Amino acid sequence: MSEHSPFEKKLRPARTNATRQKLFDASMELIGERGAAGVTVDEIAAAAGVSKGTVYYNFGSKSDLIAQLLRHGVDILKARLLSASTGPGLAGEPGTDPLVAMEEMIGQAMDFMADYPSFARLWVSENWRTPSVWRDTFAVLRTELLAVIGDAIESVAAVHPVDPSISRGSLETAIFGACFVVGLDRVTYNPERSRDQSVAAIMAIMRGYVLK
């Protein structure tokens, strides 16, 4: 008997990252035009330049395909967020104020939303839909992203006096939600709004958490 649950199987990597990236790019473009329900596996496969058989071999079904592509998108976002605190440059240098690292992290989130607006739309439209085919998928991926944000908040709290009356979980959620909503609003309705303006608006939440 397999030790993996059906949901865990959905989130296993595809056979090649290149195939997964092709499918991700193609599906995000199609989903951005018509929504997840209006896109077929045949259309995704054709747009990605792979056979329908390859899609079914790697993923099994459209539902599993979308679950895996959600995982792929979150992996890209997580890598960008983590690069803000562990990568080279200002935020990765010893002694850097963790508020600076948080600001860079939010900037990375804004860049991701600009690069993959259809992913952001899929996340916002499906994440709170009841019922949702991908409810369990979203729950796992949301927890992972919140953990990254939570670690960044913990770093801030370790060196700055912070407001103890603010719930840490609520703060994580506020920043998490703001990244998606502000980033998507900028791309969709306010393209003239700069990245720095969007980052500053979200950072106002964090700066309100730090006591003067």
Side-chain angles (χ1 to χ4, degrees):
M1 182 177 177
S2 173
E3 63 181 1
H4 298 287
S5 71
F7 173 63
E8 288 171 326
K9 289 179 181 178
K10 288 181 186 180
L11 296 184
R12 288 180 186 174
R15 295 182 70 83
T16 68
N17 191 64
T19 298
R20 190 164 63 247
Q21 185 65 44
K22 286 180 181 178
L23 290 166
F24 180 77
D25 291 338
S27 65
M28 287 304 104
E29 182 174 352
L30 292 170
I31 288 171
E33 295 172 355
R34 302 201 298 276
V39 176
T40 68
V41 171
D42 286 21
E43 290 172 321
I44 293 173
V50 302
S51 69
K52 183 172 66 172
T54 297
V55 176
Y56 283 115
Y57 179 77
N58 282 290
F59 303 102
S61 69
K62 176 183 170 181
S63 177
D64 289 352
L65 169 62
I66 299 297
Q68 184 71 285
L69 295 176
L70 287 168
R71 155 61 67 192
H72 186 65
V74 166
D75 284 347
I76 294 171
L77 176 55
K78 277 176 59 181
R80 293 191 183 190
L81 297 181
L82 290 170
S83 72
S85 57
T86 61
L90 179 62
E93 294 175 359
T96 298
D97 187 335
L99 273 173
V100 174
M102 173 67 82
E103 187 170 8
E104 185 171 331
M105 179 180 287
I106 292 171
Q108 290 289 338
M110 293 302 98
D111 291 341
F112 175 85
M113 302 306 162
D115 290 341
Y116 299 107
S118 292
F119 179 88
R121 292 188 186 100
L122 176 63
W123 186 279
V124 171
S125 66
E126 291 291 337
N127 203 5
W128 289 277
R129 187 188 299 277
T130 304
S132 172
V133 175
W134 304 287
R135 180 180 178 84
D136 291 341
T137 305
F138 280 119
V140 170
L141 299 179
R142 178 180 179 277
T143 297
E144 291 183 16
L145 290 172
L146 286 173
V148 174
I149 296 170
D151 287 345
I153 293 173
E154 187 68 34
S155 296
V156 171
V159 300
H160 290 281
V162 297
D163 187 344
S165 69
I166 296 178
S167 162
R168 188 70 62 84
S170 295
L171 182 60
E172 292 173 9
T173 304
I175 294 170
F176 174 77
C179 285
F180 273 92
V181 174
V182 172
L184 189 54
D185 182 79
R186 173 182 169 230
V187 172
T188 306
Y189 295 111
N190 295 284
E192 77 287 350
R193 186 181 298 156
S194 73
R195 173 187 189 268
D196 289 346
Q197 287 174 323
S198 298
V199 171
I202 300 171
M203 278 300 294
I205 301 173
M206 273 305 298
R207 298 193 187 282
Y209 178 56
V210 175
L211 298 174
K212 304 300 182 184

